[in-house]
Amino acid sequence: MKSPTQDQLRTRTAADIASVQLAAENWTPQRTLAWAFESFGDRVAISSAFGVEGMVLIDMASRISKDFRLFTIDTEFLFPETYSLMDRIEEKYGITIEKVYSLLSPEEQERTHGTALWSRDPDACCNLRKVEPLRRKLGELSAWITSIRRDQTSVRSTAQRIEWDAKFGLVKVNPIVDWSAKQVWRYIHDHDVPYNELHNRDYPSIGCTHCTRAVRPGEDPRAGRWSGFAKTECGLHIIEPVPQATEAYASKAAKIGN
Ligand code: SF4
């Protein structure tokens, strides 16, 4: 018998998801997480940059499964406070965070793309340091769990609790998609969940050091991300082309069979 093609598998999975999608809209985040763990086992992982929303999911997951998978895209441009939080998470929850890196070190990126690419072309920089590593990581998985909320950006406003991610070709699970920022903070305080101390210094949304600043009173919570650019997303949740392969980049990709 002929094995199903990737396209057939993808269609079947997308169809399966369509059958639970409507019911899932009424599920709690905990039930959604339990469904994801039961459905995909070690082929599902939480993706987090350790904002407060991600911390809620990590804490909830730890109460459902002791060996859930958690990964992060480490751009190598993160704040010391973020690295310190990663250490605290590993200690408190007894897990090892799977760290995924760009194929280019910061020095290699500077040699091949010039200095401070983030200040000239942040989309290209995010593609190299976030989108390509994420695509590589998602290639090992059947589903990923994110902490996006609908009211964060216009791109996220139509997200569903469980959906087919056509960009990366796997199931995307968004357990707290309908939560407000107030609900997130209530959970953090009620359950004594650790969080990035930068949040106490007017950084409601935290990414790379080069592209994050504190927000001023009255500004949108994401105004501190890519300040001065129209950009509001790093590209993980929107459709963007794969980065152009430079010679150094292509040679490293070939080595890992990408
Ligand atoms: S957030 Fe800024 S520094 Fe980080 S990958 Fe994107 S453009 Fe580069």
Side-chain angles (χ1 to χ4, degrees), residues 75 77 118 122 125-126 129-130 208 210-211 226:
T75 62
F77 292 144
W118 51 86
C125 187
C126 276
R129 309 213 73 76
K130 292 185 173 183
C208 297
H210 301 305
C211 302
W226 303 286

Side-chain angles (χ1 to χ4, degrees), residues 81-227:
E81 289 84 349
T82 305
Y83 289 113
S84 159
L85 177 60
M86 288 189 215
D87 292 341
R88 284 156 64 205
I89 291 166
E90 291 190 329
E91 193 178 342
K92 177 176 170 79
Y93 298 107
I95 54 171
T96 301
I97 299 169
E98 301 171 34
K99 294 173 184 154
V100 191
Y101 298 93
S102 170
L103 292 168
L104 299 182
S105 69
E107 296 74 26
E108 287 169 325
Q109 177 170 309
E110 184 164 333
R111 275 201 297 279
T112 52
H113 295 275
T115 54
L117 180 61
W118 51 86
S119 66
R120 293 175 285 111
D121 189 347
D123 283 343
C125 187
C126 276
N127 272 333
L128 288 165
R129 309 213 73 76
K130 292 185 173 183
V131 180
E132 185 285 327
L134 178 71
R135 187 182 295 281
R136 191 167 7 109
K137 186 66 178 175
L138 295 184
E140 320 173 352
L141 301 173
S142 299
W144 64 311
I145 300 169
T146 90
S147 56
I148 60 170
R149 294 188 296 106
R150 288 188 187 121
D151 69 6
Q152 286 172 315
T153 67
S154 58
V155 167
R156 300 178 187 192
S157 64
T158 55
Q160 301 191 58
R161 202 181 301 277
I162 295 174
E163 58 192 4
W164 179 251
D165 185 337
K167 178 177 180 180
F168 294 114
L170 78 173
V171 176
K172 187 174 184 182
V173 182
N174 308 312
I176 56 167
V177 72
D178 55 347
W179 274 31
S180 64
K182 202 170 164 185
Q183 284 174 289
V184 169
W185 277 105
R186 190 180 305 134
Y187 185 98
I188 294 280
H189 293 310
D190 286 353
H191 296 84
D192 198 21
V193 178
Y195 62 86
N196 196 319
E197 59 193 78
L198 287 173
H199 289 310
N200 295 335
R201 287 186 254 148
D202 298 321
Y203 285 81
S205 178
I206 303 163
C208 297
T209 53
H210 301 305
C211 302
T212 309
R213 65 159 173 80
V215 299
R216 292 180 279 270
E219 279 190 321
D220 183 89
R222 286 182 71 87
R225 303 293 298 278
W226 303 286
S227 185

